[in-house]
Amino acid sequence: MNFTIKQNPVILGIESSCDETAAAVIRGRKLLSSVIISSATEQAKYGGVVPEIASRAHTEAVDEAVGKALSEAGVTAKQIDAVAVTYGAGLLGALLVGLSFAKSLAYTLGVPLIAVNHIRGHLAAAYLSDETLKPPYITLLASGGHTAILHTQSYTEFSVLGATCDDAAGEAFDKVARILSLPYPGGPNVQRLAESGKASIAFPQALVKNSVKLQFSYSGLKTAVINYCHTASQRGEEVNAADVAASFQCAAVDPLVKKAVECALKTGARIITAGGGVAANDYLRTTLTAECEKHGIKCVLPEKKYCTDNAAMIAAEGLIQYNAGNFAPLDLNAQAQIPLK
Ligand code: KG4
Ligand code: ZN
């Protein structure tokens, strides 16, 4: 089907890749509404996301989330110009719920369907907090599945300057939370505990030294935290959990911030953005802002609620794809994994 590209289209975004059922509406670059219905409380009972529970929760919530997003935006279904949906990466069963809903809606309304890569959604979140933002810029991407520094050259093109060679930063936060017996979701709880601690323990920084390509590594840091806690308990010593949390947080975040700034200086990019759940971390936000200021670099951070999973970022990336005329066929399938590049 051929579709005319409109100026300032109304785009409905739908996200269901993990445990958040989310819907949002934008008109052009203006965000009109963003609704999130989370099954995190239910998941917390099991200490992590149970895919079956996530899929069922999406099935129950998707209609309500979309209905609320439209009514809060003051938009009727007929005014929607395109439906943007996350097709991957994520939990297959969970993705299929949002995807099927989006396909039916796009077909019924006779509007284009836009396939959004979840990670590109995290990158696009920065556009929501600064309507003047345009490439080129560097992005510090840190979520539960990815950790990378990217160079966005145009709205649709980016290159990967460096990435983790094992765990993602968010995964490390979640694992350290488990070691410290903190409840799910781990990241925010490690941050909260770290606020009352001192970064006094010298854990190894999450940066692979002497590598040609810029690489991060979180598995060694995670093991160092485990060893520190085990050794202390074997000696019958009490571990100061707040100090462990604060020291881990520094070792995990400092290399990311340092390298993001270095990449900006090397490429000549004058802007750094951040995206993904770990970008909601207050220590990361403060240090990145301060380092950028020091070097005269503009720092564009999405609001915290648009760093973790949401549909506003899916609609924002949907707009980029819409303007590029990238529409998806109605036999679009979900993908559990999509390479970063
Ligand atoms: O982007 P996201 O919501 O989902 C993925 O696409 O993976 O990221 C989730 C990750 C989790 O590992 C979570 O613990 C981490 O982001 N996270 C945080 C914070 N908020 C969420 N990590 C550190 N500090 C936070 N405040
Ligand atoms: Zn995400």
Side-chain angles (χ1 to χ4, degrees):
M1 230 198 280
N2 278 332
F3 297 102
T4 345
I5 310 271
K6 289 189 186 173
Q7 283 282 316
N8 296 323
V10 173
I11 298 180
L12 169 70
I14 299 177
E15 153 68 33
S16 71
S17 66
C18 193
D19 59 348
E20 260 94 32
T21 317
V25 179
I26 57 169
R27 179 181 285 120
R29 275 176 79 158
K30 196 168 171 40
L31 179 63
L32 303 183
S33 67
S34 175
V35 173
I36 299 175
I37 301 174
S38 176
S39 64
T41 317
E42 180 67 9
Q43 310 283 2
K45 293 181 200 159
Y46 305 92
V49 179
V50 180
E52 170 89 13
I53 293 176
S55 308
R56 287 173 185 273
H58 289 311
T59 307
E60 286 168 11
V62 66
D63 185 52
E64 185 189 339
V66 169
K68 269 194 183 157
L70 290 176
S71 71
E72 283 176 21
V75 159
T76 64
K78 287 202 170 134
Q79 290 173 297
I80 297 172
D81 294 310
V83 181
V85 64
T86 307
Y87 74 102
L91 303 169
L92 262 188
L95 287 164
L96 285 168
V97 178
L99 184 55
S100 307
F101 194 95
K103 282 168 143 185
S104 320
L105 197 57
Y107 176 73
T108 312
L109 298 172
V111 299
L113 176 74
I114 300 170
V116 174
N117 174 340
H118 182 82
I119 288 304
R120 284 192 178 242
H122 276 304
L123 298 184
Y127 292 115
L128 297 166
S129 63
D130 182 350
E131 288 197 20
T132 66
L133 175 65
K134 54 178 192 223
Y137 53 82
I138 296 292
T139 301
L140 196 178
L141 169 71
S143 70
H146 291 88
T147 300
I149 296 182
L150 311 171
H151 185 202
T152 295
Q153 291 105 344
S154 73
Y155 285 105
T156 52
E157 284 301 312
F158 67 79
S159 55
V160 182
L161 301 180
T164 180
C165 52
D166 41 55
D167 294 351
E171 223 176 329
F173 267 93
D174 294 337
K175 283 176 181 164
V176 167
R178 274 174 188 252
I179 300 165
L180 298 176
S181 306
L182 298 172
Y184 173 86
N189 286 319
V190 171
Q191 178 192 311
R192 217 161 292 135
L193 184 61
E195 279 157 16
S196 59
K198 278 198 292 293
S200 51
I201 309 158
F203 290 132
Q205 294 240 321
L207 185 68
V208 179
K209 290 212 176 85
N210 304 323
S211 66
V212 181
K213 194 170 182 280
L214 182 58
Q215 281 192 326
F216 301 98
S217 166
Y218 283 92
S219 71
L221 173 56
K222 176 194 68 189
T223 309
V225 176
I226 294 175
N227 288 345
Y228 179 87
C229 294
H230 280 181
T231 310
S233 91
Q234 275 167 354
R235 287 184 186 151
E237 293 166 5
E238 207 168 302
V239 166
N240 183 326
D243 287 354
V244 173
S247 307
F248 158 76
Q249 187 171 255
C250 284
V253 168
D254 288 350
L256 291 173
V257 170
K258 187 167 161 256
K259 288 294 155 183
V261 172
E262 270 179 33
C263 287
L265 297 175
K266 235 183 244 169
T267 56
R270 304 307 306 149
I271 306 167
I272 297 183
T273 73
V278 182
N281 181 276
D282 282 323
Y283 175 72
L284 183 149
R285 298 172 78 87
T286 315
T287 46
L288 184 59
T289 306
E291 282 305 304
C292 282
E293 248 171 48
K294 232 188 253 171
H295 293 91
I297 296 166
K298 182 175 172 182
C299 183
V300 179
L301 296 175
E303 274 183 60
K304 289 183 204 172
K305 61 183 172 193
Y306 303 130
C307 289
T308 45
D309 290 350
N310 68 88
M313 68 183 199
I314 302 305
E317 173 61 16
L319 176 65
I320 291 171
Q321 300 302 329
Y322 179 94
N323 287 336
N326 287 338
F327 302 137
L330 287 174
D331 63 357
L332 173 70
N333 211 338
Q335 260 177 257
Q337 295 196 340
I338 306 175
L340 195 53
K341 204 52 197 161

